[in-house]
Amino acid sequence: MKKSEGGLYVCMNTFLAFGREHVERHFRKTGQSVYMHLKRHVREKVKGASGGALPKRRNSKIFLDLDTDDDLNSDEYEYEDEAKLVIFPDHYEIALPNIEELPALVTIACDAVLSSKSPYRKQDPDTWESELPVSKYANNLTQLDNGVRIPPSGWKCARCDLRENLWLNLTDGSVLCGKWFFDSSGGNGHALEHYRDMGYPLAVKLGTITPDGADVYSFQEEEPVLDPHLAKHLAHFGIDMLHMHGTENGLRDNDIKPRVSEWEVIQETGTKLKPMYGPGYTGLKNLGNSCYLSSVMQAIFSIPEFQRAYVGNLPRIFDYSPLDPTQDFNTQMTKLGHGLLSGQYSKPPVKSELIEQVMKEEHKPQQNGISPRMFKAFVSKSHPEFSSNRQQDAQEFFLHLVNLVERNRIGSENPSDVFRFLVEERIQCCQTRKVRYMERVDYLMQLPVAMEAATNKDELIAYELTRREAEANRRPLPELVRAKIPFSACLQAFSEPENVDDFWSSALQAKSAGVKTSRFASFPEYLVVQIKKFTFGLDWVPKKFDVSIDMPDLLDISHLRARGLQPGEEELPDINPPIVIPDDSKDRLMNQLIDPSDIDESSVMQLAEMGFPLEACRKAVYFTGNMGAEVAFNWIIVHMEEPDFAEPLTMSGYGGAASAGASIFGATGLDNQPPEEIVAIITSMGFHRNQAVQALRATNSNLERALDWIFSHPEFEEDSDFVIEMENNANANIISEAKPEGPRVKDGSGMYELFAFISHMGTSTMSGHYVCHIKKEGRWVIYNDHKVCASERPPKDLGYMYFYRRIPS
């Protein structure tokens, strides 16, 4: 509401809220005429006689459950909420409260709206600290003056050898391991034993301490709590909370020189960055570890095809959105794109404000950004990782977004086609020397880090020896020496042959060893390159390659063009391997009657322990009929390159057996063509084919939801142009069923230029921070959450994902 200059209009029938520029559209579309107009006024506080603001007192003029703007100093500003009923189309206004003039039922409804909690408190409670109770022991906590000082790293449980899931008792400073409570982390329970022995109630988890707070647990109250005096309690043991950055095992980002350097270089710390304003220069607020989403969306909406598909179609998308637009992907994409590109939410301060700020010597450019809460809530719903408040992998979210775009096409338009390309895989049987050529669809190029090609190996060895000695003797760490890797070496590693140990050789009718090489069967219009910086050590602990790669501004991958079957090569016969299914699983597999609740969780966990995403493991076990981890593992190998690989298992209602059975053998693709048997059911009810196809596409081929979609889109049939377009698409789909048109690719030259890159800071994709650099109007711009500034030193050598656009030949 704060970003809508005219406030919000809440429909008193659906309780959906609209800005001033969209409420008329909703009125015309639905005929709903009664809205509650809510507006928050922000004004400077009246100065006292001494020139300062008057003392704080409870503001009874705020009754809406909204945050005050983080960038507004609460000592300088005050807020006042206003509410009134507005009757359309005449805009007749009734001030609230108004018990005398309004019927009792209307008054009750208005009071319910005004007193309701923010939906995000209900939907995302983990992000609201106020939901945690304040511990009754916090105010008068006893702290022993025993001289204990907690070092910044190297912690270990005082009663065992565990170095993870450690808790600091805030009474005596004991560092002990946790057990199965609060965050479900493992341990030997020594922190709890210590409480039972001594009765000291509060402990804080080491590694979670940041300037914003930490995880505090009360053993006596048996729940997570807030400690309003946490900074004081930590200072008792020598911990300066205001300078902490939380990571596991105490390896704080500001304690280790390499991580400090990475954070400073990528965010261009120490450089005076000029704020940018206007269309295309709007930031996104961090909702708590949502920077991965912000960085990807900034890059996505810098691409003209996405701008045209969503923002360019705003009137039509909004007009044809369902009655509840919060549950429509295209509406939410359009809303976010409009917020980023319109410039309405990125306006420079007026001259008078600047002069006043300079006079006060506190000039801080105010860039508030927009909040992507509703967008994040929709795109992450039902996804176990993205729906959490934990940090995520930007590359995984990019593929998740591509999958959503594919499943929610706007007519025949599909902007994600700009990333789509074909990969030719050539496998040569080591015994027969015969070859097999296959093609698959992909959306990004994964580039390995060729560590063996580092050009400063001697310097790296010397640095590592010095670093270890400094850590052992608790001396300051040396200046970082980062491995310098030539881009050409990484590109060479990408095209090198890969050994395949479990290859089905149709010539031998048996499994054999093979050698696989991959090349581009087509070049995409936009090439996304991921640097595979993250790996697992021998102990399965995630680690990140700290490397600098000289990524080129101009990229030529023409030499990676696929060549197909070459003279002298003999192709393997096209014989599929036999499918061996145990007798007790045949009926279950072929009929696909497994209930998701009956999935063999032991097989799921075996696969998950190998490092595969949990949801992918569940799908693998389900789609292979609970036949064991080995069979499910083979399913994973076949499907792991698909964009929806890690998507949650979803059942498609009627016809789900057919689609699920096809998925086992890789027959389903990303074209989202609904099963004909479900289309026939809907058309038999008297609906047009184009309605059935569009409804099934919008609901992932779920019959019940598709019927709801049709009834909630009565206007769908009224727009003749839209209907004709959809009928043409449907006819095209019918033709394609008889003669497949092939994958949708936009092939062209292999010459590209860099226009954006996303960088990651931290030791793992599950922690740290992401920022995005985009080249606009001839200069680089850094997007760091809500802050958008002209970049002075874009760190192109430290990126994680790179976005290239094709150079026309």
Side-chain angles (χ1 to χ4, degrees), residues 1-2 7-8 36-43 59-69 78-84 95-97 113-116:
M1 187 180 81
K2 296 173 290 179
L8 286 184
M36 182 183 291
H37 185 204
L38 303 174
K39 190 170 184 179
R40 172 163 289 178
H41 301 276
V42 183
R43 58 178 64 89
N59 191 346
S60 60
K61 298 180 181 179
I62 296 180
F63 49 79
L64 298 175
D65 184 25
L66 297 171
D67 290 333
T68 55
D69 199 316
E78 62 182 2
Y79 305 88
E80 181 178 351
D81 292 340
E82 178 186 11
K84 53 191 173 185
L96 295 175
V113 173
L114 294 175
S115 61
S116 64

Side-chain angles (χ1 to χ4, degrees), residues 436-542:
R436 169 175 294 165
Y437 284 88
M438 299 176 291
E439 286 188 350
R440 62 176 172 83
V441 173
D442 213 334
Y443 292 86
L444 57 80
M445 177 185 186
Q446 293 184 308
L447 208 60
V449 176
M451 291 296 294
E452 68 282 356
T455 59
N456 58 339
K457 292 180 180 177
D458 293 340
E459 193 178 6
L460 288 171
I461 294 173
Y463 164 76
E464 183 62 20
L465 293 173
T466 307
R467 186 189 65 81
R468 291 182 180 181
E469 181 182 358
E471 281 189 343
N473 296 289
R474 294 195 174 277
R475 294 202 304 265
L477 295 177
E479 285 292 331
L480 168 69
V481 176
R482 183 174 281 116
K484 297 179 181 178
I485 312 294
F487 171 76
S488 57
C490 298
L491 202 58
Q492 177 64 30
F494 171 82
S495 58
E496 287 179 353
E498 174 187 351
N499 292 326
V500 180
D501 298 327
D502 201 19
F503 165 64
W504 167 259
S505 176
S506 55
L508 298 172
Q509 287 291 291
K511 291 182 179 180
S512 171
V515 177
K516 181 175 75 172
T517 54
S518 300
R519 288 178 174 269
F520 287 85
S522 67
F523 291 127
E525 193 166 352
Y526 287 82
L527 178 66
V528 182
V529 180
Q530 176 203 9
I531 305 298
K532 299 175 70 174
K533 289 186 173 184
F534 301 96
T535 185
F536 288 93
L538 296 177
D539 55 359
W540 284 89
V541 175

Side-chain angles (χ1 to χ4, degrees), residues 736-761:
S736 68
E737 291 167 9
K739 183 178 179 181
E741 62 180 62
R744 310 180 314 274
V745 295
K746 299 186 177 183
D747 198 9
S749 75
M751 290 290 297
Y752 295 89
E753 62 176 341
L754 181 68
F755 73 93
F757 62 95
I758 294 172
S759 306
H760 174 268
M761 297 151 278

Side-chain angles (χ1 to χ4, degrees), residues 3 69-72 267 274-278 280-288 290-295 298 339-340 345-347 364-372 769-772 781-790:
K3 296 300 177 185
D69 199 316
D70 294 335
D71 293 321
L72 292 176
Q267 296 187 105
K274 178 184 177 182
M276 304 287 286
Y277 300 95
Y281 298 106
T282 303
L284 288 166
K285 287 186 176 181
N286 195 320
L287 307 178
S290 63
C291 51
Y292 68 92
L293 178 148
S294 300
S295 297
Q298 292 286 8
L340 294 177
Y345 311 105
S346 178
K347 297 179 180 179
K364 295 179 181 179
Q366 292 183 358
Q367 291 181 303
N368 300 326
I370 59 176
S371 173
H769 183 56
Y770 289 95
V771 301
C772 181
V781 179
I782 178 173
Y783 292 79
N784 188 351
D785 288 334
H786 64 281
K787 295 176 287 187
V788 181
C789 300

Side-chain angles (χ1 to χ4, degrees), residues 560-577:
L560 296 178
R561 169 78 75 172
R563 297 189 296 268
L565 189 68
Q566 296 298 296
E569 291 182 335
E570 185 177 354
E571 199 165 12
L572 284 163
D574 189 15
I575 303 175
N576 291 325

